[in-house]
Amino acid sequence: MAEPRSADLKALKALANPLRQRILELLSASGPATSTTLAERLGVTSGGTSYNLRVLAENGFVEELPERARGRERWWRAVPQDLRLPPADERDDPAKAAIGELHRLWLAGDTELYERFERERPRLGEWADAIPYSRGAITVTLDELGDFFEAYLALLRRYQRPDGETPEGARRVETRMLAFPAPAGEEAGQD
């Protein structure tokens, strides 16, 4: 897994774009592709995907695979990331706006992805009910919440393997973790 890197404003703006998010999702889920292939899958022009791939590459989110190139055809892959958003007290207004848009895009993308799963579920065989789901709450300090998140990331990394190390019968499983402070008045012991 990649070393943690803090997102600067340029990287945040690069990510806070719906088409770039869709490009990253496709490259992450389906592997390397050309701008033409991505354009066909996304229903946009190859010029649009080419431009957005270059923006993503400038910010270290994708990279070119020259060994797969043929003529003018360029292949791209997603670069594994451990991207950390800047703490709230270090965000200026443009960073706050970019992070807000990024969170909105991620949540909308996750909702759409789950809806696609539900539509395809009848065809998934034994994987149809493979949906570990947990809702809960923890009572922690800010430092403990940071430790909790790092422990979650360590667990996630334990199961992220290169293609050559994937066991037979394994498939990609989307995982998400969302933790946020309870709204005022909803904490334990409050009326």
Side-chain angles (χ1 to χ4, degrees):
M1 185 66 177
E3 288 295 314
R5 103 173 159 138
S6 185
D8 60 17
L9 181 59
K10 185 177 176 217
L12 291 170
K13 286 183 175 182
L15 286 175
N17 174 287
L19 181 55
R20 290 183 204 133
Q21 282 296 304
R22 291 172 61 207
I23 289 170
L24 281 172
E25 288 165 12
L26 277 175
L27 290 175
S28 295
S30 303
T34 65
S35 63
T36 302
T37 304
L38 291 167
E40 289 169 0
R41 292 194 63 197
L42 296 169
V44 298
T45 68
S46 61
T49 53
S50 291
Y51 168 77
N52 285 291
L53 282 163
R54 287 191 304 274
V55 171
L56 290 167
E58 287 170 12
N59 289 281
F61 298 114
V62 300
E63 64 186 7
E64 198 172 343
L65 297 171
E67 67 275 10
R68 290 189 74 172
R70 281 181 250 128
R72 295 185 59 194
E73 180 183 78
R74 297 168 74 181
W75 283 79
W76 301 88
R77 76 172 189 99
V79 175
Q81 299 284 318
D82 184 357
L83 189 69
R84 306 297 174 102
L85 301 178
D89 62 348
E90 294 178 17
R91 299 175 188 172
D92 58 13
D93 288 342
K96 288 176 187 174
I99 290 169
E101 180 61 12
L102 190 53
H103 284 159
R104 188 192 70 71
L105 288 170
W106 282 343
L107 187 57
D110 290 344
T111 301
E112 192 277 330
L113 185 62
Y114 186 78
E115 288 169 354
R116 272 190 16 234
F117 160 75
E118 284 293 344
R119 287 191 302 272
E120 295 174 13
R121 192 174 187 178
R123 296 180 294 282
L124 291 178
E126 65 184 358
W127 285 91
D129 291 323
I131 313 170
Y133 185 77
S134 171
R135 294 180 73 207
I138 54 177
T139 304
V140 294
T141 66
L142 278 174
D143 287 341
E144 288 172 328
L145 181 59
D147 292 343
F148 178 84
F149 183 62
E150 291 302 324
Y152 165 78
L153 292 177
L155 179 63
L156 196 61
R157 282 190 287 269
R158 189 170 123 198
Y159 293 95
Q160 292 173 329
R161 305 170 236 224
D163 288 338
E165 296 175 21
T166 303
E168 187 176 327
R171 67 178 295 153
R172 181 181 175 94
V173 174
E174 297 295 333
T175 58
R176 305 295 186 264
M177 189 200 86
L178 175 64
F180 53 90
E186 294 187 23
E187 293 187 45
Q190 291 188 357
D191 293 331

